[in-house]
Amino acid sequence: MKAMHKTSLLICLTILVLFSSVGIVVKWPLISQWLPLGSKAAQTMPTGADPFAVVPPVPSYVKNLHPVYTIHASLDENQARIDGQIQLAFDNPKTPQVVLYLFDYTWNPMVIKSVTADNRPLSFERKGGTVSFANPFAKKDRAVLNIQFQTPVPRGESRFGVKDSIWTLSNWFPMLGAMDQQNRWYEPPTRIGYGDPFIYHYADYEVYFTSPESYRWVTSWGQGTAKKLPQNRQEIHYSAKQLINFCLVGSPNYKIETISFAPGLTVDIASVDPADIQRIKAIAQSVYPVYIDKFGPLPYPHVAIAETAEHTVFAMEYANMAIFKKDLYWNNMVDHWLPHEIAHMWWYNSVATMEAAYGWVDEGMVEASVYYYKQKRYGQAAADEVLQGYANDVDKLKQRYPYGKLAKRLNQFETNDEFLWTWYSKGAMLYHHLRQAIGDDAFLAFLKKVQQTYHGSIIGPEHLDWALGEVLGGDVHYFVPNVQQVNSVGFVPPRIEYYYHTVLNGVSYYPTSPVRERNGTIYLPMREIMEKFGYLVSYDEAKGKITLVAGRTEVELQKNSPKAVVNGRTVAMQKPLQEIANKTMVPVSLFDNVLGYEVSIDAKTKTVRITVPLK
């Protein structure tokens, strides 16, 4: 080939490449979408990904420091006290101070005898229910404390104590404090005459508990492994995972029977009277299958039911334990309150809440749970009677406390009646109204979603709304607004912004912020979708103007305007942009009315399809 011919060929090739490049740039919004999905966005998106999984769960109210307790403790039954030592390992929060909680009685205080780290004693200060000291761990990622403590056990009629030789040991040792997600330690509310305003931190436990050999114990984690000691003593070892506390109830007079439920749950039943065990067993055999069916399997291998002495605790939920006093056999009250406390094993123990602020989350749910127990065991009429009782209480709230609300904290209620009617009855009716609004299947799916997602977490109304949104496929507001509804107004129905599956040029696309329907309009995340179509996106904050450029196409949008300017021509979008979840969202009309793309919306399958037409 001659030199002149080579030069001519190179010139032709250059012109061809130049004009082809211009064509590609001009048509890139169209061309890019008909190429195989090889972009970075496509490479990171797995086939069949859940389009709604982009909305992460609301984090627990309590930051998980992964505490592990190794407790050696001994019960002195003659002096009615517990002497113990704890090795407490946890993630170093790297805060100036470390906080411990003491959930004791002011008239019967727990004593912290020493706190050491790396064999060095630490100076500490007790204030109310907290013990605090300067963080000695510098930049260590994992901290280890050794704590010596002594806990007097009250004799008589109290929730924590001993009566008629039955020992109820609920909050018997110092616990690691709880902090929020911003690394701030919570201050436990002051205990009042009703309710337990405790803030717990889920933890693992290795407990070695010494007592007289004749004592039989039911606990938060089965009956443990016993070792005989001199002088008619025994040491029982328990190894527990992901508990909010570790509790024991025992007596030299206890008889214990163990029953089992699929898929691997054992229930220890303790009473001083074999006949009572049979009554408890009949309730347990009815209620556990119902709750396992409705809420999902309990994520623990061992739980317990303990009958305590007369005139002690009415009925209480503790970690993996349901406790009630013998008096509840009167008028068969046990048939309501034992199923109530058993439901707490899911709604307080598996999933917990900030009791002082959101006690209705679990108390309302376990009251609603009694409905299912009564329905299964006695029929619909018995279940409806339970609901009618809650409705009557809510009517009393409207009349006597019209300006009260679920948002009231524990120490803000005027009377015990207002407290009970609000947390228990109004809480139950809040769940019941939701069940009526979305149907039984969706409601039970919601309950299971809460258990599956938030086991080991401390939750509140926003967590419930997130779980509800996952089930219904959208952004849901129900629990959060109803917390603020005054009693005289009643409940507001769930407000749902449904999420939409997105198909771009025949290919599923899952933006990090979901496409949704708001007030009848479909909104899409502007930057993600426009960049997927090949546009460069820029924002002039001073003018509130967004500019989209691809090839010869330039689109200008104003933050609050329903109009777009395309290459100098004004076109109506019908709806303005929206700020949703900190994202700028564009109405779907941008793509058909403004850009001339083909758009189809299937409301039944919640799918929006956008196709760049071939020209």
Side-chain angles (χ1 to χ4, degrees), residues 115-132:
V115 180
T116 62
D118 297 326
N119 295 317
R120 293 183 293 108
L122 304 178
S123 297
F124 56 87
E125 177 186 13
R126 172 161 189 174
K127 182 180 178 182
T130 63
V131 168
S132 59

Side-chain angles (χ1 to χ4, degrees), residues 201-253:
H201 196 312
Y202 282 87
D204 295 344
Y205 288 90
E206 297 291 331
V207 178
Y208 299 83
F209 193 80
T210 301
S211 67
E213 189 177 14
S214 62
Y215 281 41
R216 302 197 67 189
W217 298 91
V218 291
T219 76
S220 300
W221 204 271
Q223 298 184 56
T225 304
K227 181 175 70 174
K228 182 177 174 60
L229 300 177
Q231 300 179 332
N232 298 318
R233 306 278 290 176
Q234 64 178 345
E235 179 189 78
I236 307 179
H237 173 220
Y238 308 93
S239 184
K241 299 291 185 182
Q242 198 76 340
L243 289 177
I244 57 174
N245 193 359
F246 189 89
C247 307
L248 308 93
V249 181
S251 172
N253 304 319

Side-chain angles (χ1 to χ4, degrees), residues 431-440 442-443 472 478 492-494 496:
Y431 289 106
H432 171 65
H433 277 270
L434 175 63
R435 182 170 64 87
Q436 288 184 312
I438 66 175
D440 287 330
F443 182 71
L472 299 181
Y478 178 72
V492 296
I496 308 171

Side-chain angles (χ1 to χ4, degrees), residues 91-395:
D91 295 344
N92 181 8
K94 299 178 182 176
T95 50
Q97 288 190 315
V98 176
V99 173
L100 304 176
Y101 292 159
L102 310 181
F103 297 133
D104 55 5
Y105 296 111
T106 56
W107 47 268
N108 199 65
M110 190 184 305
V111 177
I112 304 299
K113 301 174 77 171
S114 69
V115 180
T116 62
D118 297 326
N119 295 317
R120 293 183 293 108
L122 304 178
S123 297
F124 56 87
E125 177 186 13
R126 172 161 189 174
K127 182 180 178 182
T130 63
V131 168
S132 59
F133 48 88
N135 189 336
F137 302 108
K139 296 183 179 180
K140 289 183 179 179
D141 291 330
R142 194 74 176 157
V144 179
L145 291 174
N146 287 283
I147 307 162
Q148 286 190 321
F149 68 96
Q150 186 177 88
T151 304
V153 181
R155 298 182 187 272
E157 301 172 358
S158 60
R159 292 182 175 182
F160 166 70
V162 55
K163 185 176 185 291
D164 297 344
S165 297
I166 298 176
W167 299 75
T168 303
L169 308 181
S170 49
N171 295 290
W172 55 278
F173 58 91
M175 308 181 75
L176 179 66
M179 59 171 36
D180 64 19
Q181 296 294 340
Q182 287 72 47
N183 280 20
R184 296 171 300 199
W185 297 98
Y186 287 108
E187 181 72 24
T190 303
R191 181 187 291 189
I192 59 177
Y194 44 81
D196 279 339
F198 303 137
I199 303 174
Y200 289 116
H201 196 312
Y202 282 87
D204 295 344
Y205 288 90
E206 297 291 331
V207 178
Y208 299 83
F209 193 80
T210 301
S211 67
E213 189 177 14
S214 62
Y215 281 41
R216 302 197 67 189
W217 298 91
V218 291
T219 76
S220 300
W221 204 271
Q223 298 184 56
T225 304
K227 181 175 70 174
K228 182 177 174 60
L229 300 177
Q231 300 179 332
N232 298 318
R233 306 278 290 176
Q234 64 178 345
E235 179 189 78
I236 307 179
H237 173 220
Y238 308 93
S239 184
K241 299 291 185 182
Q242 198 76 340
L243 289 177
I244 57 174
N245 193 359
F246 189 89
C247 307
L248 308 93
V249 181
S251 172
N253 304 319
Y254 261 168
K255 281 76 176 173
I256 300 175
E257 184 171 340
T258 301
I259 57 178
S260 300
F261 299 94
L265 176 68
T266 63
V267 182
D268 296 327
I269 301 173
S271 170
V272 299
D273 186 341
D276 288 349
I277 288 181
Q278 296 312 307
R279 295 184 68 175
I280 297 168
K281 183 178 175 181
I283 294 173
Q285 288 176 325
S286 294
V287 76
Y288 276 101
V290 172
Y291 292 169
I292 290 170
D293 175 59
K294 303 301 183 185
F295 314 144
L298 192 64
Y300 295 105
H302 309 290
V303 297
I305 302 169
E307 175 193 290
T308 60
E310 293 181 348
H311 311 302
T312 53
V313 59
F314 182 82
M316 280 298 298
E317 69 278 9
Y318 293 114
N320 275 354
M321 298 193 74
I323 302 173
F324 69 96
K325 65 179 180 177
K326 195 174 180 66
D327 314 55
L328 292 191
Y329 292 118
W330 179 81
N331 205 26
N332 202 30
M333 289 190 293
V334 68
D335 200 39
H336 181 105
W337 291 106
L338 182 52
H340 171 109
E341 302 305 340
I342 289 172
H344 271 303
M345 293 179 181
W346 282 263
W347 308 105
Y348 164 80
N349 181 43
S350 171
V351 174
T353 191
M354 304 289 283
E355 284 294 319
Y358 300 121
W360 60 266
V361 169
D362 59 284
E363 296 295 356
M365 188 60 239
V366 300
E367 283 292 88
S369 303
V370 175
Y371 168 89
Y372 288 121
Y373 163 69
K374 296 282 188 176
Q375 182 186 54
K376 182 67 174 180
R377 190 172 186 189
Y378 302 112
Q380 190 60 48
D384 290 341
E385 185 178 353
V386 171
L387 281 181
Q388 188 57 53
Y390 302 147
N392 293 341
D393 290 343
V394 172
D395 287 339

